[in-house]
Amino acid sequence: MNPAQFIAKWSKSTLKESAAAQQHFLDLCDLLGHPKPADIDATGHSFCFERGAAKRAGGDGWADVWKRGYFGWEYKGKHKDLDKAYQQLLDYREDIENPPLLVVSDMDRIVIHTNFTATATQIFTIPIDKLGNERNLEILRFLFFAPHKLRPVVTSPVITEAAAHQLARLAQTLRDSGEDPLQIAPFLDRLIFCLFAEDIDILPVRQGHESSPPLLTQLLRNFRREPQVFARQLHQLFLAMADGGYFGVDKVLHFNGDLFKCQVLKKS
């Protein structure tokens, strides 16, 4: 199968996920000259469809395709929510041995998330109608044959250093605007803790909207051009985190300690 044939076949497909996923993957194997799962692993020990996995929060899940040391892959039907598919992979990636690449696809596109330790996550999106592009084919070959070549150049220490510089500039801006230096440090501490809480999923996502960002990210997106509204909303979020309770319709945990007992900056 060549790229033009693959595009022609799958661009007009209306099959549901259950009917299309495995054939879509097998056609990719043909396109890239890669052996199919059953051809090289009759037991499913290292390369298979429907690899069972325990979810981090309890219960069982299934990776639609799994290749040890290469990738976990989750399919969805056309135009379905690939962010939700990615969250599913994150939920059981530990039980599929933390592969370096996490892939989601809805037949119209293939989205590859890198999952290397000590690096930033990088995302490669390949629309099916652009699959014949030489760079896209190269990315897919790396996915199947040499995942290390998709390892991001930017590492976690580099990100940490850049974030530290951003926080230092923010602190200086607050000082220049007349804020009390004794308030600035705990204020920034609370912001950093909220970002950490988002990363480990202890700041909520609205029920029924699991693909939405967590609370702090929502506030930043919604009110970045309205600093006074953002300050009031942030104040209410910190109060909810101090004692436990509700922020709007979202239930927020009680975070022990005195970090959130202080008031947020009065100016913004």
Side-chain angles (χ1 to χ4, degrees), residues 8 23 34 84 95 167 173 187 224 233 245 248:
Q23 187 58 55
H34 188 279
K84 186 174 182 179
D95 204 45
L167 287 169
T173 298
F187 174 70
R224 66 184 184 275
Q233 292 290 311

Side-chain angles (χ1 to χ4, degrees), residues 83 198 203-206 209-219 221-222 250:
D83 287 338
E198 285 194 353
L203 267 184
V205 172
R206 185 158 299 139
H209 297 78
E210 285 76 11
S211 62
S212 299
L215 288 182
L216 182 60
T217 300
Q218 289 187 56
L219 292 181
R221 290 181 181 178
N222 292 344
D250 297 296

